[in-house]
Amino acid sequence: MMTKSIYAQLFDKLDLGIRVIDQDRKPLIYNEKMRAIESMTFSDFTDRPFMDVFQFQNEKESRLIQALKYARVVENKKQTYFNAKGEVITTINHVYPLMDNDEVVAAVEIAKDVSQMEQILRDKRTNEEGTRFQFSDLLGESPNFVEIVEQARRSSRTSSPVLIIGETGTGKELFAQSIHNESEREGKAFVTQNCAALPESLVEGILFGTAKGAFTGAIDRPGLFEQADGGTLLLDEVNALPLHLQPKLLRVLQEKKVTRVGEAKERPFDVRLLATLNEDPLEAIEAERLRKDLYYRLSVVSLFIPPLRERKGDATTLARFFLRKYNNRFHLNVQQFSDEVLRVLQSYHWPGNVRELEHIIEGAMNVLSEETVFDIQHLPTHIGERQSHSHPAHKGLSKHLHQEESLPERLALIEHNLIIQAMKANKDNVSQAAKSLGISRQNLQYKLDKYSK
């Protein structure tokens, strides 16, 4: 008994959080530092499953459970999760299985709290700098989102072009900034241009630069490639570029030299190009909004950002982040969402994706004052109404568009549904399913890959 007491005192003196759970997932050790990190006590675990206490969606999200079941070791990895009060916790973790005669009998987690530092850095980037997003700012635990973040992180090691594909509001520019800031070009220029916002008569001069006298009023001015030299250039909505200019863009990318409008001098540059698309690239090619050869050049690495409706569980994760963000910005003390709000956030279709979610939280926080709970009446009425008009795969094809749903978003739902039906009818034979849908096998394979991410 004395030995046990000594160990308990020792663990409580450490400035690291320590948690040990047994095969029944019950806490054996839960030291003072870990209780402080999570603002919890042993009683929070009483009569509650471990998975419910920390609001994990599945066992794969819990490193401790993975250590118990598969003897997996994790070292020096960041983890973001929620405590029993719904507060966001971020730690740097080491997780080990504890063995007895080659059998796992328990698992230990050793954690260093970085929650406050993460919040300060994230709020600084989000609220002040605005262009300093990093991978740690890409919040989400759903497997398809985690996978695409990891792909993006790996792509940051090279200078190959990256094509980022996703619906409006999915955070394509955040991915682009994260790739830049994780790369060797961090600290160098990050130049971004929305191609849809460029007047057609000025596009070429803005992209490639102009020489004095090239046309009335023209001056010597570097284009985007020269401005981004040594750094990264992001062309947002690249499919909005005039088709006749796309071959010149392709040539510039291949030769890594640019010629200003009105002069013959070639100027070399060192730029990593990132580009975004808000539509299926094959549809853009078929509709002659994007040249096939340019697409192949841009898509050395292709990242398909999943829409929020396909990121199971991430809506509540993001909502809690936005709640904290606007608590700080508006000097409020809204501590949590009601259970009903969490249910609605989870089931809502989110046609505007993460951007829509943030705007809804911000809008609601504008009218809150002394409340400590974000309740259902604080949500816009159309969200509550839409819960009776959900979008299961077999319904909703003939319903009217909802207030914040665009035609392309509805068409994407219909397309996904028809593909599912065709694959089932043809017993997952891609060639037969493509034939029944009246499209090429290559096109169907692309769409299957897109919808599976």
Side-chain angles (χ1 to χ4, degrees), residues 189-200:
F190 181 85
V191 177
T192 179
Q193 176 63 57
N194 187 323
C195 299
L198 293 175
E200 185 168 349

Side-chain angles (χ1 to χ4, degrees), residues 257-380:
K257 295 178 181 179
V258 65
T259 302
R260 293 182 183 181
V261 176
E263 73 175 15
K265 179 182 178 181
E266 290 185 327
R267 300 170 185 267
F269 62 84
D270 173 23
V271 169
R272 185 184 196 174
L273 185 71
L274 308 179
T276 75
L277 275 178
N278 57 7
E279 64 175 327
D280 180 329
L282 294 185
E283 291 178 358
I285 292 169
E286 290 174 0
E288 297 186 346
R289 287 188 292 272
L290 181 66
R291 286 178 57 99
K292 185 183 294 187
D293 49 4
L294 179 60
Y295 165 67
Y296 290 142
R297 180 59 185 163
L298 295 175
S299 61
V300 174
V301 178
S302 293
L303 301 175
F304 293 87
I305 314 302
L308 186 54
R309 63 181 172 275
E310 295 177 8
R311 295 169 53 184
K312 185 173 176 58
D314 285 353
T316 53
T317 301
L318 290 160
R320 288 187 174 101
F321 167 70
F322 293 135
L323 182 69
R324 187 177 73 246
K325 173 181 175 178
Y326 290 105
N327 262 334
N328 293 337
R329 181 172 294 184
F330 300 153
H331 306 292
L332 298 173
N333 188 34
V334 184
Q335 298 178 6
Q336 61 185 9
F337 294 100
S338 69
D339 290 342
E340 188 174 8
V341 168
L342 291 175
R343 179 186 61 78
V344 169
L345 293 177
Q346 186 67 18
S347 59
Y348 180 58
H349 183 59
W350 297 114
N353 292 295
V354 180
R355 184 179 298 154
E356 179 188 10
L357 172 59
E358 178 172 8
H359 289 171
I360 283 173
I361 300 299
E362 180 182 6
M365 298 287 276
N366 268 278
V367 298
L368 294 171
S369 56
E370 302 300 323
E371 294 90 341
T372 59
V373 176
F374 191 121
D375 215 338
I376 192 69
Q377 68 266 21
H378 301 133
L379 289 173

Side-chain angles (χ1 to χ4, degrees), residues 193-250:
Q193 176 63 57
N194 187 323
C195 299
L198 293 175
E200 185 168 349
S201 59
L202 301 178
V203 172
E204 187 172 6
I206 291 173
L207 269 179
F208 309 123
T210 57
K212 186 176 181 180
F215 51 85
T216 303
I219 60 174
D220 285 320
R221 176 180 296 163
L224 296 177
F225 284 92
E226 290 180 72
Q227 294 173 39
D229 190 32
T232 302
L233 172 60
L234 170 63
L235 295 181
D236 196 17
E237 298 186 53
V238 69
N239 50 319
L241 282 177
L243 206 63
H244 71 272
L245 273 184
Q246 293 185 22
K248 184 170 183 178
L249 174 60
L250 176 62

Side-chain angles (χ1 to χ4, degrees), residues 66-251:
Q66 295 297 296
L68 276 179
K69 294 182 69 173
Y70 307 110
R72 288 180 180 165
V73 173
V74 174
E75 294 185 319
N76 202 35
K77 295 291 185 181
K78 187 169 70 174
Q79 177 163 310
T80 299
Y81 59 101
F82 300 100
N83 64 10
K85 300 176 183 177
E87 299 168 337
V88 178
I89 308 297
T90 304
T91 55
I92 303 296
N93 287 11
H94 302 272
V95 179
Y96 305 99
L98 300 179
M99 316 294 291
D100 184 24
N101 294 326
D102 294 327
E103 291 187 8
V104 179
V105 295
V108 58
E109 177 181 16
I110 305 169
K112 180 178 181 181
D113 184 22
V114 294
S115 301
Q116 186 175 15
M117 180 178 67
E118 283 288 304
Q119 179 177 339
I120 291 172
L121 291 175
R122 183 175 290 119
D123 287 346
K124 180 176 178 60
R125 287 193 295 269
T126 303
N127 299 332
E128 296 177 9
E129 298 179 18
T131 57
R132 297 294 300 170
F133 288 102
Q134 298 181 12
F135 285 113
S136 59
D137 296 301
L138 302 177
L139 299 181
E141 298 294 330
S142 58
N144 57 345
F145 186 73
V146 171
E147 179 183 357
I148 207 68
V149 171
E150 181 57 28
Q151 290 179 20
R153 191 188 299 274
R154 289 197 295 268
S155 75
S156 66
R157 298 176 300 187
T158 73
S159 288
S160 299
V162 179
L163 183 61
I164 306 171
I165 304 161
E167 297 176 6
T168 298
T170 50
K172 296 185 291 295
E173 185 168 345
L174 272 65
F175 272 84
Q177 292 178 18
S178 300
I179 291 170
H180 171 76
N181 290 321
E182 186 88 355
S183 74
E184 295 180 350
R185 296 172 185 264
E186 180 188 14
K188 304 289 182 62
F190 181 85
V191 177
T192 179
Q193 176 63 57
N194 187 323
C195 299
L198 293 175
E200 185 168 349
S201 59
L202 301 178
V203 172
E204 187 172 6
I206 291 173
L207 269 179
F208 309 123
T210 57
K212 186 176 181 180
F215 51 85
T216 303
I219 60 174
D220 285 320
R221 176 180 296 163
L224 296 177
F225 284 92
E226 290 180 72
Q227 294 173 39
D229 190 32
T232 302
L233 172 60
L234 170 63
L235 295 181
D236 196 17
E237 298 186 53
V238 69
N239 50 319
L241 282 177
L243 206 63
H244 71 272
L245 273 184
Q246 293 185 22
K248 184 170 183 178
L249 174 60
L250 176 62
R251 186 166 60 253

